Amino acid sequence: MGRLDEKTAIITGASRGIGAVMAIHIAKEGAKVLVADVLDTSKTVKTIKSNGGKATGLKVDVTSDSDLSKMVELAEKDLGGLDILINNASIFASLQPKPFLQIDNDEFDSVMTVNARGVHQATKSVVPSMLKRGGGKIVNIASGTFYYGPPGLSHYTASKAAVIALTRGHARELGDKNIQINAIAPGLTESESIKDHKGFDPARAPTVQSRSIKRDMLPEDLLGTLMYLITSDSNFVTGQTLNVDGGKINV
């Protein structure tokens, strides 16, 4: 038996990278998974089903209330309800690091809208469904950049700082409804989305050297923390951000 048997989950931004790895893992643990993304979700869904799991995919823009409404409706119809939301959708792999003086307003607004407002909107969309189940678990994927402010990614860093703030605020408001909301702040993760991204090359070796555990971070390194936050192990934990980066930042 899996630790998530009889649970249903939505994970946004799960067509590839960290989101796909998380979706496949929680399905192996027994969860029924709705894979949501603006990109094609079929590869992740196919992998889950080939492993004997249950999954359905849907094209979802997390900044669209109508898309999010359809997402929740599909989860209730196809999966039987909703217990878990993982807010993973984010603009990151498509960014080219640059000095903040070169970041125009449109790029800044796009990053903030998807990465921050998208978490706000997606969380709002699932609360009524979770209340029908008596509660739920929400995990927001933040970023370790919040703690040290790397050059070239000021807009991304600001958006993930907002995610941490939303995690705290939403947790305060939903604590009495048995919905726990926490965040994970990963370090630079060598997912399929960025492993060939030359723009991040200058940061790779220094990042590994700054860690207590001196190796590349992989998406799989997040799975233990994720499982803690979406199971009953964390029933008395909410509003927290857990830093997972091999010991680069001590907070």
Side-chain angles (χ1 to χ4, degrees):
M1 291 182 63
R3 298 187 66 199
L4 298 174
D5 287 349
E6 308 304 321
K7 298 295 185 181
T8 64
I10 291 173
I11 177 165
T12 65
S15 69
R16 61 180 184 170
I18 289 173
V21 170
M22 288 181 168
I24 293 164
H25 182 75
I26 65 175
K28 287 179 180 178
E29 288 286 352
K32 295 174 285 185
V33 183
L34 194 160
V35 180
D37 205 312
V38 292
L39 304 176
D40 181 14
T41 61
S42 60
K43 180 180 177 182
T44 303
V45 171
K46 182 179 180 181
T47 300
I48 290 172
K49 289 183 175 179
S50 68
N51 290 332
K54 182 171 183 179
T56 188
L58 184 67
K59 184 174 182 178
V60 175
D61 176 352
V62 294
T63 68
S64 166
D65 285 337
S66 61
D67 279 11
L68 292 168
S69 178
K70 292 174 184 176
M71 177 184 78
V72 174
E73 289 174 6
L74 185 62
E76 292 185 333
K77 178 182 177 183
D78 281 17
L79 307 182
L82 181 58
D83 304 290
I84 298 162
L85 169 66
I86 302 169
N87 277 314
N88 173 70
S90 178
I91 294 176
F92 178 62
S94 62
L95 296 177
Q96 292 293 334
K98 66 187 73 171
F100 79 89
L101 294 171
Q102 298 175 17
I103 298 173
D104 63 33
N105 292 344
D106 287 342
E107 182 175 345
F108 187 93
D109 288 348
S110 178
V111 170
M112 291 297 294
T113 300
V114 173
N115 295 8
R117 201 186 83 194
V119 169
H120 170 71
Q121 288 180 249
T123 300
K124 284 201 304 179
S125 75
V126 304
V127 168
S129 186
M130 286 186 172
L131 293 178
K132 295 176 187 176
R133 305 276 277 189
K137 300 279 189 178
I138 298 175
V139 176
N140 300 326
I141 305 304
S143 169
T145 57
F146 164 77
Y147 298 106
Y148 62 96
L153 290 170
S154 60
H155 50 348
Y156 176 79
T157 301
S159 74
K160 291 303 185 175
V163 170
I164 293 173
L166 289 168
T167 300
R168 294 172 179 176
H170 292 166
R172 286 283 186 188
E173 295 189 36
L174 295 175
D176 62 351
K177 296 176 174 59
N178 194 33
I179 297 176
Q180 292 87 48
I181 305 180
N182 294 286
I184 300 174
L188 182 63
T189 304
E190 295 296 330
S191 71
E192 64 175 316
S193 304
I194 72 157
K195 63 182 180 181
D196 296 320
H197 194 313
K198 300 302 183 183
F200 294 104
D201 283 353
R204 287 189 160 96
T207 294
V208 170
Q209 287 306 306
S210 69
R211 291 171 175 158
S212 299
I213 303 170
K214 298 187 186 305
R215 65 166 174 81
D216 286 338
M217 180 173 174
L218 303 175
E220 289 77 9
D221 291 318
L222 297 165
L223 297 178
T225 304
L226 177 69
M227 288 298 295
Y228 167 66
L229 292 177
I230 61 176
T231 62
S232 59
D233 289 353
S234 59
N235 278 355
F236 201 60
V237 177
T238 196
Q240 305 305 305
T241 299
L242 301 185
N243 197 48
V244 182
D245 68 354
K248 175 181 174 66
I249 304 295
N250 294 317
V251 294

